[in-house]
Amino acid sequence: MSAREFNFDGLVGPTHNHAGLSFGNVASASNSNSIANPRAAALQGLAKMHALAQRGFAQALLPPQKRPDFGLLRAAGFYGTDADLLAKAQREAPVLLAAAWSASPMWTANAATVSPAADTADGRTHFTVANLNSKLHRSREHRQTLRTLQAIFSDPAHFAVHAALPGTPAFGDEGAANHGRLCADHGTPGVELFVYGRSEFDASVGAPSRFPARQTLEAGQAIARRHLLAPERVVHLHQNPEVIDQGVFHNDVISVTNGRVLFYHEAAFADEAGSLARLHAAIAPLGAALQPVRVPASAVSVADAVGSYLFNSQLLSRADGGMTLVIPRECEENAAVAAYLRTLLDSGGPIDELLSFDLRQSMRNGGGPACLRLRVVLTDAQAAAMHQGVLLTAALHARLVAWVERHYRDRLSPADLADPALVAEVDAALDALADILGLPSLYHLAPDEETGPPSPP
Ligand code: SUG
């Protein structure tokens, strides 16, 4: 079966801000309460999408979500008019207010876990929306994510879009950020790799002590069952708890897969040799050999990996057979990482090209090139069956740049989050976007059941 990998990048929403909401994510904490530039953030993301599309990579996007999330504020006991809610929340609970405005759905690597048709028993592409229940602001994303994915991948003959796992600690799930795939070719069966930071029920699995492990073993097991994966082509690997404690809050901050290649830091997994042996064994029956590209700590420390986001790069197969590593600018600015990258290109290994992008706005919240995209392998028939309005053509890129320039602020501070004018601005922007993407009912969500009455009884 011939298939291509599409990257669905998150279009950065108009309320991108730096609120420090993600304990365990070093960049989020260190830029807390600084002033953000949503316009620049969205344009930086669009520039990356456009450049990759121009080079022939299959590129699409996932739209932002409606904010603020008044349902969250009502669920937290605030009532009154929209303006009352914003003012009261800013006075009494500014963290909740920031959570309600978060543009975090931009990091679409956390939107869902995706299993291509070649891996599933029913020959459909399966998606499980991530519950993201480790962080309050992110736990609110899954309802709209489900709606969005169902709108884009609506044909049940080709796609199965599953709702999020129950939002309980046993099923902590952060989507594709902790998932990888190894294969000879995107269209042939692959080995799916689920990386977990802790287990709810197996006390022998070590957990980090300083920062939370967001992904559980039990979530990966449930998704593998839901997606009808062959057990012999599923590998669950334990992430090294020590790196989580150093700021590796998702596995995609310390390793990435593509084709037969596993690009990883030597400290990524709890048991490096055992993990590699299991991957070798799982991929061998597919007639392919694993190609590990191991980065030793002597070349790049975990701190440098976290600071530069070297592993949060996109590893892309080119039509000419080579592989391109899409890195954030920060990699070129870190002396150790820049030196390592020079040796990588000279090594004669599978990675033979670097492309670097300025994604500083997203990076300041701990989101690099790989966080900003969800990989979806599609056959030609599936690509034709999905909603076409989200494919990034040059014309769509130009329309979106103009849309951002018209609707986005170039400055957003915590104080601005109580401004009722921002609510109207975002509504106007998203109405226009739904038209541009040809998804008119995208934001017509039923009110949350949990929000309760808008004022006290
Ligand atoms: O979940 N940051 C996101 C970054 C997600 C990165 N994704 C991947 N690694 N795939 C997170 O921690 C920060 C928001 C703030 O602080 O305002 C935030 O949510």
Side-chain angles (χ1 to χ4, degrees):
M1 194 169 9
S2 100
R4 295 178 80 193
E5 178 182 277
F6 286 68
N7 279 275
F8 282 75
D9 277 46
L11 177 58
V12 178
T15 68
H16 161 71
N17 70 95
H18 303 303
L21 297 174
S22 280
F23 177 63
N25 168 341
V26 176
S28 160
S30 51
N31 294 302
S32 178
N33 293 328
S34 60
I35 292 167
N37 183 337
R39 182 185 301 175
L43 294 176
Q44 287 168 0
L46 279 165
K48 171 169 88 77
M49 293 184 226
H50 183 54
L52 295 180
Q54 292 295 100
R55 286 176 162 252
F57 296 111
Q59 183 69 55
L61 63 85
L62 294 179
Q65 300 194 0
K66 199 165 170 69
R67 294 289 180 267
D69 180 354
F70 283 118
L72 173 62
L73 298 179
R74 294 212 160 87
F78 294 105
Y79 59 86
T81 63
D82 287 357
D84 290 340
L85 287 171
L86 299 179
K88 286 181 192 169
Q90 190 175 50
R91 251 189 342 263
E92 295 176 28
V95 177
L96 288 184
L97 182 65
W101 279 106
S102 180
S104 55
M106 66 200 263
W107 298 297
T108 52
N110 306 116
T113 304
V114 186
S115 295
D119 295 353
T120 66
D122 64 359
R124 298 190 296 168
T125 294
H126 285 246
F127 302 76
T128 288
V129 173
N131 58 30
L132 295 170
N133 69 345
S134 168
K135 298 285 174 240
L136 175 69
H137 65 298
R138 304 221 62 185
S139 70
R140 305 287 300 177
E141 296 176 25
H142 67 90
R143 279 188 210 82
Q144 176 67 52
T145 302
L146 178 65
R147 193 179 172 81
T148 302
L149 292 178
Q150 284 174 337
I152 296 172
F153 303 103
S154 59
D155 184 344
H158 287 295
F159 309 114
V161 181
H162 305 273
L165 290 168
T168 184
F171 283 139
D173 176 26
E174 303 272 321
N178 296 313
H179 176 251
R181 183 167 186 264
L182 296 161
C183 56
D185 182 86
H186 288 311
T188 59
V191 171
E192 295 204 16
L193 168 58
F194 293 84
V195 183
Y196 57 93
R198 68 178 191 89
S199 165
E200 181 81 356
F201 301 121
D202 183 347
S204 71
V205 173
S209 52
R210 182 172 173 221
F211 291 146
R214 300 197 201 180
Q215 185 86 28
T216 65
L217 169 62
E218 290 78 5
Q221 290 169 332
I223 293 167
R225 280 189 292 269
R226 281 175 164 207
H227 290 194
L228 309 175
L229 302 181
E232 66 278 13
R233 287 191 273 113
V234 172
V235 177
H236 297 278
L237 295 183
H238 184 198
Q239 191 178 3
N240 181 356
E242 286 170 25
V243 300
I244 297 179
D245 278 339
Q246 292 171 72
V248 181
F249 58 97
H250 288 139
N251 174 64
D252 69 2
V253 177
I254 198 91
S255 84
V256 59
T257 58
N258 182 53
R260 299 187 292 119
V261 176
L262 171 70
F263 179 50
Y264 76 106
H265 190 277
E266 68 164 303
F269 304 109
D271 168 14
E272 184 191 3
S275 299
L276 270 279
R278 290 173 58 206
L279 294 176
H280 276 293
I283 197 173
L286 302 179
L290 181 72
Q291 261 185 298
V293 179
R294 174 185 197 262
V295 182
S298 56
V300 176
S301 66
V302 172
D304 281 339
V306 171
S308 68
Y309 264 38
L310 168 63
F311 297 95
N312 199 260
S313 44
Q314 288 175 253
L315 189 50
L316 301 175
S317 298
R318 294 193 310 274
D320 66 8
M323 270 192 205
T324 300
L325 193 68
V326 177
I327 53 172
R329 255 322 115 71
E330 284 76 357
C331 288
E332 296 169 329
E333 294 162 358
N334 177 304
V337 172
Y340 168 76
L341 286 170
R342 283 192 292 275
T343 61
L344 178 72
L345 289 186
D346 289 345
S347 68
I351 301 170
D352 59 3
E353 186 188 41
L354 295 179
L355 269 184
S356 136
F357 288 95
D358 174 0
L359 297 165
R360 285 190 208 283
Q361 285 291 319
S362 171
M363 286 286 286
R364 288 170 68 82
N365 277 0
C371 301
L372 284 163
R373 64 90 172 92
L374 181 67
R375 293 190 277 189
V376 184
V377 170
L378 296 172
T379 63
D380 292 347
Q382 290 181 322
M386 77 171 193
H387 177 68
Q388 303 295 298
V390 292
L391 282 172
L392 195 86
T393 59
L396 179 60
H397 171 257
R399 271 187 96 181
L400 290 173
V401 167
W403 169 80
V404 168
E405 281 168 350
R406 165 142 195 236
H407 290 282
Y408 281 48
R409 296 190 182 187
D410 61 5
R411 192 193 141 90
L412 205 54
S413 72
D416 298 324
L417 301 182
D419 177 3
L422 188 59
V423 180
E425 285 170 34
V426 173
D427 282 352
L430 295 188
D431 281 352
L433 180 66
D435 272 356
I436 294 173
L437 300 180
L439 292 168
S441 54
L442 185 64
Y443 297 112
H444 299 173
L445 265 177
D448 277 5
E449 284 161 21
E450 72 204 68
T451 56
S455 54

